[in-house]
Amino acid sequence: MGGVSHSSLSPLPSSDRADVAARLRSALLGASFTADGLLDLLGAPAYAALARSETVPALRATRGDTPLETLVRLFLLQQPVPRARVADVLPVEDALESGWLTPAGEDEVAATVDIRPYGGLDGEDWFIVSDLGCAVGGAGGIGSREEGVVLGVGGASTTLAGITVRTPVDSALDLGTGSGIQALHVAQHATRVTATDLNPRALHITALTLALSGAPGADLREGSLFEPLHADETYDLIVSNPPFVISPAARLTYRDGGMAGDDLCRTLVQESGNRLNEGGYAQFLANWQHVEGEDWQDRLRSWVPRGCDAWIVQREVQDVTQYAELWLRDAGDHRSDPAEYQALYDAWLDEFEARKVKAVGFGWITLRRTSAAEPSITVEEWPHSVEQPLGETVRAHFDRVDYLRAHDDAGLLAGHFRLVTEVVQEQVGLPGAEDPEHVVLRQHRGMRRATKVDTVGAGFAGVCDGTLSAGRILDAIAQLVGEDPVLLRDRTPAQIRLLVEQGFLEPAE
């Protein structure tokens, strides 16, 4: 994975003028150039259209000359704007001198970068900088074929931000930082932030994103994967939205891994174990191959480094034709010469056929460094809706792993449990039947899981409020239903273990 050429990309603003970035930030906030301000100005339909790279509704909604309309046309729609109008909103001389703006035509100025308001998880007003037309919601949409282009916030970015564990840490690493969104998030709860990227342009833009968002600076290092780190450097948190696309050639630095198949994601996961402090988390988005004759779950289990617990969730699967079409459209290849498009499509399918790949999975990988003798590895498919943010749900999963690892069946029966809030019970059966065919417990928060339980399991979960031990509850149920309490104690711990594992019950102690 070599260097990146940026000769045809526009010059970037200076990253050394923190004073200018601070004045710009103040001016943007003063004009309500925020996520909430945009929604109020544009209305929901035009705001949603921007996310689809459709700009006409937003252009129609910004035909006035208010400060906010001026900024939307300048930075989101990338239209030249009269210099005098911009001077009423921004420190225009400083912005021109430091490269945020450039002269355009007679008495007009234009933006040199895309600036998108972004609301943090706790309502922070931040700004994500990216190359022109490459912020989701920017004027051109993604679809750029420039090798070194730096994208703004997409669905993958916000997904990773949502699942990241947000406990305070001393050190954090954002590997493959891109426009800096993950570094911006972790800067809120990490004392020291290191951000790396193969693309030096991305590091420059990350510095701009942090400065314009009023966040502390990060230690920015150029290089591939863990290469920029010193041999003994370890972290409490590692996050990465890597270039995970499985493609026949590394054309686009922002998305194509440059290694064969899913080797980049595998390498990233395997090497991260040695970079984690005890109890530290590594969280990634990834693609993985479904290979003919191979179990995809076994494939992913083989990636997990020694000394790490893992929770891997497959969120989506696409067959190879869907996958190829998705990423050909992403690069704008569907707008090229039909013969060229067909040749590129053939190249993708040739690559998959040679590797016996029948589909590609997408999902989340979370590792946690552990000293446990037997690490826990959970690999599952969960394509259903979830409630973001999930960082606390992820942390709680590993807390439950620790609890279950430390408690055998006797320990479970001696334990006290509580039913997690917003779990409901659904009974399924024929109308008028005396007993339901089965009972379903369903979560309305977090992963929104649903699981079948028998009547004993449903009754047990329903009375778990932390006051009685599991064993005493089962004894009472046995008396109620006329069952041998010893037999009930023998067969029920497996069901309790499952309910704890999936987050329906939590230890009360």
Side-chain angles (χ1 to χ4, degrees), residues 95-129:
L96 284 164
E97 180 189 350
S98 57
W100 291 93
L101 299 177
T102 188
E106 288 189 22
D107 299 322
E108 289 187 321
V109 295
T112 58
V113 287
D114 213 323
I115 299 176
R116 181 171 177 79
Y118 174 79
L121 296 174
D122 294 318
E124 301 93 343
D125 285 319
W126 292 334
F127 301 99
I128 308 299
V129 180

Short mmCIF file of all heavy atoms in Angstrom, two decimals, residues 95-129:
data_model
loop_
_atom_site.label_atom_id
_atom_site.label_comp_id
_atom_site.label_asym_id
_atom_site.label_seq_id
_atom_site.Cartn_x
_atom_site.Cartn_y
_atom_site.Cartn_z
N ALA A 95 -10.38 33.97 6.00
CA ALA A 95 -10.77 32.72 5.35
C ALA A 95 -10.11 32.58 3.98
O ALA A 95 -9.73 31.47 3.57
CB ALA A 95 -12.29 32.64 5.21
N LEU A 96 -9.94 33.71 3.25
CA LEU A 96 -9.25 33.67 1.96
C LEU A 96 -7.76 33.45 2.15
O LEU A 96 -7.14 32.63 1.47
CB LEU A 96 -9.50 34.98 1.21
CG LEU A 96 -10.88 35.14 0.56
CD1 LEU A 96 -11.13 36.60 0.19
CD2 LEU A 96 -10.98 34.25 -0.69
N GLU A 97 -7.17 34.14 3.12
CA GLU A 97 -5.73 34.04 3.33
C GLU A 97 -5.33 32.63 3.77
O GLU A 97 -4.30 32.11 3.34
CB GLU A 97 -5.31 35.06 4.40
CG GLU A 97 -3.82 35.03 4.71
CD GLU A 97 -3.46 35.88 5.92
OE1 GLU A 97 -4.32 36.64 6.40
OE2 GLU A 97 -2.32 35.74 6.38
N SER A 98 -6.16 32.01 4.62
CA SER A 98 -5.80 30.69 5.14
C SER A 98 -6.33 29.55 4.27
O SER A 98 -6.10 28.38 4.57
CB SER A 98 -6.32 30.52 6.57
OG SER A 98 -7.72 30.73 6.62
N GLY A 99 -7.07 29.88 3.20
CA GLY A 99 -7.43 28.88 2.22
C GLY A 99 -8.78 28.21 2.40
O GLY A 99 -9.11 27.28 1.66
N TRP A 100 -9.60 28.66 3.34
CA TRP A 100 -10.95 28.09 3.48
C TRP A 100 -11.83 28.54 2.30
O TRP A 100 -12.75 27.82 1.90
CB TRP A 100 -11.60 28.53 4.79
CG TRP A 100 -10.98 27.94 6.01
CD1 TRP A 100 -9.99 28.49 6.78
CD2 TRP A 100 -11.29 26.67 6.62
NE1 TRP A 100 -9.66 27.66 7.82
CE2 TRP A 100 -10.44 26.53 7.76
CE3 TRP A 100 -12.18 25.66 6.33
CZ2 TRP A 100 -10.49 25.42 8.59
CZ3 TRP A 100 -12.23 24.54 7.15
CH2 TRP A 100 -11.38 24.42 8.26
N LEU A 101 -11.56 29.71 1.78
CA LEU A 101 -12.30 30.25 0.63
C LEU A 101 -11.31 30.59 -0.48
O LEU A 101 -10.11 30.76 -0.22
CB LEU A 101 -13.06 31.52 1.02
CG LEU A 101 -14.13 31.40 2.11
CD1 LEU A 101 -14.73 32.77 2.42
CD2 LEU A 101 -15.21 30.41 1.71
N THR A 102 -11.83 30.69 -1.70
CA THR A 102 -11.00 31.07 -2.84
C THR A 102 -11.80 32.04 -3.71
O THR A 102 -13.04 31.93 -3.77
CB THR A 102 -10.57 29.83 -3.64
OG1 THR A 102 -9.63 30.20 -4.64
CG2 THR A 102 -11.77 29.15 -4.32
N PRO A 103 -11.14 33.00 -4.37
CA PRO A 103 -11.88 33.90 -5.26
C PRO A 103 -12.55 33.12 -6.39
O PRO A 103 -12.01 32.12 -6.89
CB PRO A 103 -10.78 34.83 -5.81
CG PRO A 103 -9.67 34.74 -4.82
CD PRO A 103 -9.71 33.35 -4.28
N ALA A 104 -13.74 33.58 -6.79
CA ALA A 104 -14.48 32.91 -7.87
C ALA A 104 -15.22 33.96 -8.67
O ALA A 104 -16.16 34.58 -8.17
CB ALA A 104 -15.46 31.90 -7.29
N GLY A 105 -14.80 34.16 -9.91
CA GLY A 105 -15.49 35.14 -10.76
C GLY A 105 -15.32 36.54 -10.21
O GLY A 105 -14.44 36.84 -9.41
N GLU A 106 -16.18 37.42 -10.67
CA GLU A 106 -16.11 38.82 -10.24
C GLU A 106 -16.79 38.99 -8.89
O GLU A 106 -17.99 38.73 -8.77
CB GLU A 106 -16.78 39.73 -11.28
CG GLU A 106 -15.97 39.86 -12.56
CD GLU A 106 -16.57 40.94 -13.46
OE1 GLU A 106 -17.29 41.81 -12.95
OE2 GLU A 106 -16.31 40.89 -14.67
N ASP A 107 -16.02 39.42 -7.90
CA ASP A 107 -16.55 39.75 -6.58
C ASP A 107 -17.33 38.60 -5.95
O ASP A 107 -18.31 38.82 -5.22
CB ASP A 107 -17.45 41.01 -6.66
CG ASP A 107 -16.68 42.21 -7.16
OD1 ASP A 107 -15.51 42.35 -6.77
OD2 ASP A 107 -17.25 42.98 -7.95
N GLU A 108 -16.90 37.36 -6.22
CA GLU A 108 -17.53 36.21 -5.58
C GLU A 108 -16.43 35.36 -4.94
O GLU A 108 -15.25 35.45 -5.29
CB GLU A 108 -18.32 35.36 -6.58
CG GLU A 108 -19.60 36.03 -7.06
CD GLU A 108 -20.43 35.10 -7.91
OE1 GLU A 108 -19.84 34.33 -8.72
OE2 GLU A 108 -21.68 35.11 -7.78
N VAL A 109 -16.84 34.51 -3.99
CA VAL A 109 -15.92 33.56 -3.38
C VAL A 109 -16.58 32.18 -3.39
O VAL A 109 -17.81 32.07 -3.48
CB VAL A 109 -15.55 33.96 -1.93
CG1 VAL A 109 -14.76 35.26 -1.91
CG2 VAL A 109 -16.78 34.05 -1.05
N ALA A 110 -15.74 31.15 -3.29
CA ALA A 110 -16.23 29.78 -3.24
C ALA A 110 -15.48 29.03 -2.14
O ALA A 110 -14.37 29.40 -1.76
CB ALA A 110 -16.04 29.09 -4.59
N ALA A 111 -16.10 27.96 -1.65
CA ALA A 111 -15.47 27.13 -0.63
C ALA A 111 -14.43 26.22 -1.27
O ALA A 111 -14.58 25.78 -2.41
CB ALA A 111 -16.52 26.29 0.08
N THR A 112 -13.36 25.95 -0.53
CA THR A 112 -12.35 25.01 -1.01
C THR A 112 -12.58 23.61 -0.44
O THR A 112 -11.99 22.64 -0.93
CB THR A 112 -10.94 25.47 -0.60
OG1 THR A 112 -10.89 25.60 0.83
CG2 THR A 112 -10.60 26.80 -1.25
N VAL A 113 -13.41 23.51 0.60
CA VAL A 113 -13.73 22.21 1.21
C VAL A 113 -15.22 22.18 1.54
O VAL A 113 -15.88 23.21 1.63
CB VAL A 113 -12.92 21.96 2.50
CG1 VAL A 113 -11.47 21.65 2.20
CG2 VAL A 113 -13.06 23.11 3.48
N ASP A 114 -15.70 20.97 1.69
CA ASP A 114 -17.08 20.73 2.11
C ASP A 114 -17.11 20.80 3.64
O ASP A 114 -16.29 20.16 4.30
CB ASP A 114 -17.45 19.31 1.65
CG ASP A 114 -18.91 19.18 1.29
OD1 ASP A 114 -19.74 19.78 1.97
OD2 ASP A 114 -19.20 18.43 0.33
N ILE A 115 -17.99 21.58 4.21
CA ILE A 115 -18.14 21.64 5.67
C ILE A 115 -19.58 21.26 6.00
O ILE A 115 -20.52 21.94 5.57
CB ILE A 115 -17.83 23.04 6.22
CG1 ILE A 115 -16.37 23.42 5.92
CG2 ILE A 115 -18.09 23.10 7.73
CD1 ILE A 115 -16.00 24.82 6.35
N ARG A 116 -19.74 20.18 6.76
CA ARG A 116 -21.08 19.70 7.10
C ARG A 116 -21.30 19.76 8.60
O ARG A 116 -20.56 19.17 9.38
CB ARG A 116 -21.27 18.26 6.62
CG ARG A 116 -22.66 17.73 6.95
CD ARG A 116 -22.90 16.38 6.28
NE ARG A 116 -24.18 15.83 6.64
CZ ARG A 116 -25.35 16.19 6.10
NH1 ARG A 116 -25.38 17.12 5.18
NH2 ARG A 116 -26.48 15.60 6.47
N PRO A 117 -22.35 20.47 9.04
CA PRO A 117 -22.70 20.43 10.46
C PRO A 117 -23.05 19.01 10.88
O PRO A 117 -23.69 18.25 10.14
CB PRO A 117 -23.93 21.34 10.55
CG PRO A 117 -23.85 22.23 9.36
CD PRO A 117 -23.25 21.37 8.29
N TYR A 118 -22.62 18.65 12.07
CA TYR A 118 -22.80 17.28 12.56
C TYR A 118 -23.09 17.34 14.05
O TYR A 118 -22.35 17.99 14.81
CB TYR A 118 -21.54 16.47 12.28
CG TYR A 118 -21.52 15.07 12.85
CD1 TYR A 118 -22.21 14.03 12.24
CD2 TYR A 118 -20.80 14.78 14.00
CE1 TYR A 118 -22.18 12.74 12.75
CE2 TYR A 118 -20.76 13.50 14.52
CZ TYR A 118 -21.45 12.48 13.90
OH TYR A 118 -21.42 11.21 14.41
N GLY A 119 -24.15 16.69 14.48
CA GLY A 119 -24.50 16.66 15.89
C GLY A 119 -23.89 15.46 16.58
O GLY A 119 -24.07 14.32 16.15
N GLY A 120 -23.12 15.70 17.65
CA GLY A 120 -22.52 14.60 18.40
C GLY A 120 -23.57 13.81 19.17
O GLY A 120 -24.75 14.18 19.22
N LEU A 121 -23.13 12.71 19.78
CA LEU A 121 -24.06 11.83 20.50
C LEU A 121 -24.73 12.53 21.66
O LEU A 121 -25.83 12.17 22.08
CB LEU A 121 -23.31 10.59 21.00
CG LEU A 121 -22.73 9.67 19.92
CD1 LEU A 121 -21.89 8.57 20.54
CD2 LEU A 121 -23.84 9.07 19.07
N ASP A 122 -24.05 13.53 22.23
CA ASP A 122 -24.62 14.29 23.35
C ASP A 122 -25.06 15.69 22.93
O ASP A 122 -25.13 16.61 23.75
CB ASP A 122 -23.61 14.38 24.50
CG ASP A 122 -23.32 13.02 25.11
OD1 ASP A 122 -24.29 12.24 25.30
OD2 ASP A 122 -22.14 12.72 25.40
N GLY A 123 -25.33 15.84 21.64
CA GLY A 123 -25.85 17.12 21.15
C GLY A 123 -24.80 18.16 20.82
O GLY A 123 -25.14 19.33 20.61
N GLU A 124 -23.53 17.76 20.76
CA GLU A 124 -22.48 18.73 20.43
C GLU A 124 -22.66 19.25 19.00
O GLU A 124 -23.11 18.52 18.12
CB GLU A 124 -21.09 18.09 20.56
CG GLU A 124 -20.76 17.54 21.92
CD GLU A 124 -21.10 16.06 22.07
OE1 GLU A 124 -21.88 15.55 21.24
OE2 GLU A 124 -20.58 15.43 23.00
N ASP A 125 -22.30 20.49 18.78
CA ASP A 125 -22.33 21.08 17.44
C ASP A 125 -20.92 21.01 16.86
O ASP A 125 -20.03 21.78 17.23
CB ASP A 125 -22.82 22.53 17.49
CG ASP A 125 -24.32 22.62 17.71
OD1 ASP A 125 -25.05 21.82 17.11
OD2 ASP A 125 -24.75 23.49 18.50
N TRP A 126 -20.72 20.07 15.95
CA TRP A 126 -19.42 19.86 15.33
C TRP A 126 -19.52 20.10 13.83
O TRP A 126 -20.61 20.25 13.27
CB TRP A 126 -18.95 18.42 15.56
CG TRP A 126 -18.62 18.10 16.99
CD1 TRP A 126 -18.21 18.97 17.96
CD2 TRP A 126 -18.65 16.81 17.61
NE1 TRP A 126 -17.99 18.29 19.13
CE2 TRP A 126 -18.25 16.98 18.96
CE3 TRP A 126 -18.97 15.52 17.16
CZ2 TRP A 126 -18.15 15.90 19.85
CZ3 TRP A 126 -18.88 14.45 18.04
CH2 TRP A 126 -18.47 14.65 19.37
N PHE A 127 -18.34 20.14 13.18
CA PHE A 127 -18.28 20.34 11.73
C PHE A 127 -17.31 19.34 11.13
O PHE A 127 -16.16 19.26 11.56
CB PHE A 127 -17.85 21.77 11.40
CG PHE A 127 -18.76 22.82 11.96
CD1 PHE A 127 -18.46 23.47 13.14
CD2 PHE A 127 -19.96 23.11 11.32
CE1 PHE A 127 -19.32 24.42 13.68
CE2 PHE A 127 -20.83 24.06 11.86
CZ PHE A 127 -20.51 24.71 13.03
N ILE A 128 -17.78 18.57 10.15
CA ILE A 128 -16.94 17.58 9.47
C ILE A 128 -16.48 18.16 8.14
O ILE A 128 -17.30 18.55 7.30
CB ILE A 128 -17.70 16.27 9.23
CG1 ILE A 128 -18.34 15.76 10.53
CG2 ILE A 128 -16.76 15.23 8.64
CD1 ILE A 128 -17.36 15.45 11.64
N VAL A 129 -15.18 18.23 7.97
CA VAL A 129 -14.58 18.74 6.74
C VAL A 129 -14.31 17.57 5.80
O VAL A 129 -13.89 16.49 6.24
CB VAL A 129 -13.28 19.51 7.05
CG1 VAL A 129 -12.65 20.05 5.77
CG2 VAL A 129 -13.56 20.65 8.03
#
